[in-house]
């Protein structure tokens, strides 16, 4: 099976879908990998490493796509690339299925099958293919560093000849994959960490990382929906959550918010009035900004200052740590490809428990090489 990788074209996307280590494994498994020259530059994987791993490094996209059975990508590849793929090929990447109607229409005449990495089921079997988790892990870590760099104070407690510095207080709102990594990273940097989530099931995980769990009357099992995700809260529950968060905020130095509800705008958890109660010089990093933000003041890719509190709305944080984010993404893809390709061709049975839910468009699978 020929697997193609193009240079990513989205702004500030420094990641690459396959790193040389994964290419080497795929080649060893009998696949052919064609990659566009410079595809790994942004994540510090040079062409020479791909050549050494057994890939064909080709200058233009047309040559890369010729004869490909599968195109793998980080972000949605350009529609024009779809037109150059052989009929019946498979495209795999973060295809943003919620806003993909036009994109899917472009795939239909070519009989392409599109597998969205966002839709890898969050089951134990598919865990090794789950890019949402691997990239959220990177984002949680990066959020702490980003916030720490904007703080006017140190994170750890220091005892020095110039006196003792107390540790900073970090509050993480939303203890899913990104939130738990943010807790662990802030703890390693020496901060005193607390966290809140509506799902009471995470209380123990938060505590096992050395953070305290902020209690709210709303954190009941009823806040947990399908697949372990949170549900949208009722009015009374939301009031209780805001009350608990509002009480806790005035003491905090760095607040990292990650709260999301699948398919819905991010819940508003830090109001403008609450920001006004925060310490001057404190920082909020809103990781939910791309789905509307947990704070109404956060703006995409901007630093907003309100009441001397800085609110950051970073976009695509994993791409700011591209080498390891790509390595993790690539390993997830390798696991998926190993699962998908059977006897030299993709096994695209509609009832497959992993690729079935990922398919946002279905064509005819290419013939075995
Ligand atoms: P997410 O990005 O959808 O949300 C982040 C966190 O925000 C979640 O913990 C959620 O409970 C929380 N949240 C939502 N509304 C909130 C509110 N009003 N106040 C406070 N917090 C709020 O979630 P995620 O990190 O992708 O993971 C969600 C779930 O999926 C977890 O149960 C996780 O264990 C599970 N998961 C399972 C697998 C697997 O089995 N393969 C992989 C990844 C995640």
């Amino acid at each position: 099976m020929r697997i193609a990788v193009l240079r990513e074209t989205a702004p500030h996307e420094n990641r690459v879908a396959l790193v040389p280590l994964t290419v080497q494994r795929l080649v060893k498994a009998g696949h052919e990998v064609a990659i566009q020259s410079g595809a790994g530059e942004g994540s510090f994987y040079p062409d020479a490493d791909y050549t050494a791993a057994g890939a064909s490094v080709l200058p233009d996209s047309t040559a890369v796509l010729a004869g490909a059975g599968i195109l793998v990508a980080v972000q949605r590849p350009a529609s024009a690339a779809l037109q150059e793929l052989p009929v019946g090929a498979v495209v795999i990447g973060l295809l943003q299925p919620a806003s993909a109607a036009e994109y899917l229409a472009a795939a239909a005449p070519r009989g392409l099958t599109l597998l969205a990495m966002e839709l890898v089921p969050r089951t134990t079997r598919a865990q090794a293919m789950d890019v949402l988790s691997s990239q959220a892990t990177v984002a949680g870590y990066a959020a702490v560093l980003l916030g720490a760099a904007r703080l006017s104070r140190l994170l750890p407690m220091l005892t020095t000849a110039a006196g003792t510095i107390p540790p900073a207080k970090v509050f993480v709102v939303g203890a899913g994959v990104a939130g738990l990594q943010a807790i662990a990273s802030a703890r390693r940097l020496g901060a005193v960490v607390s966290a809140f989530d509506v799902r009471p099931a995470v209380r123990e995980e938060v505590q096992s990382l050395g953070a305290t769990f902020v209690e709210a009357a709303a954190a009941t099992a009823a806040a947990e929906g399908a697949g372990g995700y949170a549900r949208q809260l009722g009015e009374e529950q939301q009031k209780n959550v805001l009350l608990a968060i509002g009480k806790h905020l005035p003491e905090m130095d760095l607040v990292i918010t990650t709260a999301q509800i699948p398919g819905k705008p991010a819940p508003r958890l830090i109001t403008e009035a609450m920001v006004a109660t925060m310490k001057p010089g404190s920082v909020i990093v809103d990781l939910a900004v791309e789905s509307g933000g947990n704070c109404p003041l956060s703006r995409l890719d901007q630093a907003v200052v309100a009441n001397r509190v800085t609110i950051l709305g970073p976009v695509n944080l994993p791409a700011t740590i591209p080498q390891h984010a790509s390595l993790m993404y690539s390993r997830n893809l390798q696991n998926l490809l190993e699962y998908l390709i059977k006897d030299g061709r993709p096994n695209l049975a509609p009832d497959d428990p992993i690729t079935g839910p990922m398919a946002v468009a279905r064509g005819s699978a290419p013939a075995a090489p």
Side-chain angles (χ1 to χ4, degrees):
M1 173 67 51
R2 182 171 162 107
I3 301 164
V5 184
L6 294 177
R7 270 200 301 264
E8 294 289 322
T9 51
H12 312 299
E13 185 48 81
N14 298 316
R15 293 170 292 177
V16 62
L18 294 183
V19 304
L21 183 69
T22 312
V23 168
Q24 196 178 17
R25 293 194 181 149
L26 291 169
V27 169
K28 204 168 157 201
H31 303 300
E32 202 188 316
V33 177
I35 184 161
Q36 190 173 13
S37 174
E41 276 309 313
S43 44
F44 303 93
Y45 296 104
D47 283 353
D49 288 6
Y50 285 98
T51 306
S56 316
V57 178
L58 302 163
D60 71 294
S61 57
T62 307
V64 172
L65 297 171
I70 300 181
L71 167 63
V72 290
V74 179
Q75 306 271 2
R76 204 189 265 181
S79 296
L82 302 192
Q83 303 310 317
E84 291 193 71
L85 273 169
V87 170
V90 180
V91 181
I92 308 175
L94 290 165
L95 304 178
Q96 305 161 43
S99 61
E102 252 179 62
Y103 192 73
L104 300 186
R110 309 223 31 99
L112 303 177
T113 295
L114 269 49
L115 301 181
M117 289 303 280
E118 294 95 331
L119 301 178
V120 168
R122 305 194 96 175
T123 56
T124 308
R125 176 73 186 86
Q127 214 163 3
M129 311 166 196
D130 181 5
V131 297
L132 288 189
S133 287
S134 69
Q135 304 305 295
T137 299
V138 178
Y141 162 85
V144 173
L145 299 190
L146 189 69
R150 294 299 283 250
L151 270 183
S152 54
R153 47 181 300 150
L154 302 166
L155 283 194
M157 184 177 102
L158 292 182
T159 308
T160 75
T164 299
I165 305 270
K169 291 183 179 155
V170 174
F171 180 34
V172 176
V173 182
V177 181
L180 290 173
Q181 187 53 240
I183 295 170
S185 303
R187 286 277 301 142
R188 280 187 214 117
L189 285 169
V192 171
V193 185
S194 53
F196 172 71
D197 197 294
V198 270
R199 294 181 298 118
V202 296
R203 181 188 285 106
E204 270 180 35
E205 284 178 84
V206 166
Q207 290 167 344
S208 72
L209 290 170
T212 53
F213 191 78
V214 173
E215 302 290 344
T220 68
E224 188 155 331
Y229 287 108
R231 280 182 209 283
Q232 205 160 20
L233 299 180
E235 216 174 292
E236 190 61 26
Q237 280 182 311
Q238 173 74 358
K239 227 169 76 189
N240 288 332
V241 165
L242 294 188
L243 206 67
I245 293 177
K247 252 201 225 162
H248 197 62
L249 278 178
E251 296 295 310
M252 296 301 116
D253 298 298
L254 172 59
V255 180
I256 294 168
T257 70
T258 75
Q260 308 256 15
I261 299 157
K264 299 264 186 319
R268 287 287 163 89
L269 299 171
I270 300 185
T271 63
E272 211 170 327
M274 287 186 198
V275 173
T277 68
M278 290 178 67
K279 289 199 238 174
S282 56
V283 174
I284 299 172
V285 181
D286 190 347
L287 283 193
V289 69
E290 287 175 76
S291 41
N294 293 140
C295 175
L297 296 171
S298 47
R299 295 287 172 272
L300 277 175
D301 223 6
Q302 284 181 36
V304 175
V305 179
N307 195 43
R308 306 197 71 200
V309 175
T310 303
I311 302 126
L312 304 172
V315 174
N316 196 1
L317 269 185
T320 64
I321 306 188
Q323 199 173 51
H324 275 159
S326 299
L327 178 65
M328 293 164 88
Y329 189 96
S330 178
R331 281 187 178 148
N332 293 144
L333 262 186
Q334 182 199 328
N335 291 326
L336 175 67
L337 291 169
E338 281 169 0
Y339 174 86
L340 176 71
I341 306 170
K342 297 274 176 297
D343 303 321
R345 61 190 311 238
N347 170 20
L348 291 164
D351 60 352
D352 184 276
I354 296 178
T355 58
M358 293 174 68
V360 288
R362 257 181 201 288
S364 47

